[in-house]
Amino acid sequence: MRWIRRNVVVVAGLLTLAYMILPNLVVMVFSFNKPKGRFNYSWQTFSLDAWKDPCGVADLCGSLSLSFQIAVWATIGATVLGTMIAFALVRYRFRARGAINSLIFLPMAMPEVVMAASLLTLFLNMGAELGFWTVLIAHIMFCLSFVVTAVKARVMSMDPKLEEAARDLYAGPVQTFVRVTLPIAAPGIAAGALLAFALSFDDFIITNFNAGSSVTFPMFVWGSAQRGTPVQINVIGTAMFAIAVLMVIGGQLVSDRRKKAAKP
């Protein structure tokens, strides 16, 4: 009992981590399965066939490419707009600033199905053709709030004396922003961009309402589940999980090296 009391936080953390990783491990294991029939829900035989031909299912890689394109452009748009909005909300005083601060959180608090239906109504009333551009506009809209929140938190923690020191040393507004303000705000901007990319790439509800005939990767997975889940979906999921883990490990290693180099 004493040991449990001393390590209850560690044990709870490990159990939570295992609970979160277990579905990913199942996906990883079944990416090496060779099912008998259409559904990849029970283990049959070990096979590397799906890994050798990840695009062997029609339209799978096409939908993956479309999701990647939308996520990249949505990330760029939301990051640029969100960064400017965050700086404006933190650095300037203007009318309706409080109301805008509150409205920024609405897309995060509102149920996705309500937002999706509202956007669909807007696009139909405008006579817009549903497809790539309507999905991109919708993704930028709901990713914007997350970017603003991440960048705003970083900007609020910045010490204004650093920028004042740069101006005292005869740095112009542009030079101060590029060499002082932007590097300090960069972690918040990067966090917002990564969050926007993940949310855009993974979104299904809003995309399904506004995609028209376009099919993104989450929509392809949902449609495949109705007819039979190909092993290649598990392969793509495993590859994406491995890339994300490697990026996190790489970032941690770089951070550790910088900390060691900064020590006297």
Side-chain angles (χ1 to χ4, degrees):
M1 291 298 294
R2 290 181 180 177
W3 183 89
I4 294 176
R5 290 175 181 175
R6 289 197 303 267
N7 298 278
V8 63
V9 176
V10 177
V11 173
L14 291 175
L15 290 175
T16 303
L17 185 63
Y19 177 77
M20 294 172 60
I21 293 180
L22 183 60
N24 297 290
L25 295 178
V26 173
V27 170
M28 189 180 303
V29 170
F30 276 83
S31 68
F32 298 98
N33 187 29
K34 188 173 184 179
K36 295 179 181 178
R38 296 180 302 168
F39 296 97
N40 185 28
Y41 296 153
S42 59
W43 180 262
Q44 299 294 332
T45 308
F46 179 86
S47 175
L48 293 173
D49 293 345
W51 282 93
K52 294 177 182 178
D53 188 16
C55 295
V57 180
D59 299 327
L60 189 152
C61 284
S63 64
L64 183 65
S65 174
L66 179 61
S67 286
F68 184 78
Q69 293 177 45
I70 292 174
V72 168
W73 287 112
T75 300
I76 294 173
T79 302
V80 172
L81 293 174
T83 300
M84 292 191 292
I85 293 172
F87 271 95
L89 291 174
V90 174
R91 296 293 180 86
Y92 299 95
R93 299 292 182 270
F94 51 89
R95 290 184 178 180
R97 178 172 172 268
I100 293 174
N101 262 317
S102 301
L103 290 173
I104 286 294
F105 291 95
L106 278 182
M108 293 189 291
M110 187 180 297
E112 280 196 50
V113 66
V114 176
M115 192 186 309
S118 301
L119 285 168
L120 176 60
T121 303
L122 174 65
F123 291 137
L124 291 178
N125 287 329
M126 294 176 60
E129 182 180 355
L130 299 181
F132 177 88
W133 293 107
T134 54
V135 173
L136 179 59
I137 292 171
H139 281 212
I140 292 176
M141 188 275 296
F142 78 79
C143 289
L144 194 60
S145 298
F146 295 91
V147 176
V148 171
T149 302
V151 179
K152 184 181 172 184
R154 181 65 178 179
V155 175
M156 290 178 67
S157 66
M158 291 172 56
D159 187 356
K161 293 181 180 179
L162 297 175
E163 294 170 296
E164 293 175 3
R167 288 192 291 269
D168 290 340
L169 295 172
Y170 303 103
V174 176
Q175 193 174 17
T176 301
F177 179 78
V178 172
R179 296 195 174 186
V180 179
T181 307
L182 191 59
I184 297 175
I189 297 173
L194 290 173
L195 184 59
F197 182 88
L199 290 169
S200 175
F201 190 91
D202 187 57
D203 182 76
F204 171 76
I205 298 176
I206 294 176
T207 305
N208 191 44
F209 271 73
N210 299 280
S213 59
S214 301
V215 179
T216 61
F217 184 67
M219 293 175 64
F220 180 87
V221 174
W222 178 80
S224 298
Q226 314 302 313
R227 305 183 300 272
T229 309
V231 185
Q232 282 82 355
I233 289 178
N234 296 66
V235 172
I236 299 298
T238 301
M240 293 170 60
F241 177 72
I243 292 172
V245 170
L246 290 175
M247 289 178 63
V248 172
I249 294 175
Q252 189 63 45
L253 291 175
V254 171
S255 178
D256 291 342
R257 288 183 179 179
R258 288 181 177 177
K259 289 180 180 178
K260 290 180 181 179
K263 290 182 179 180

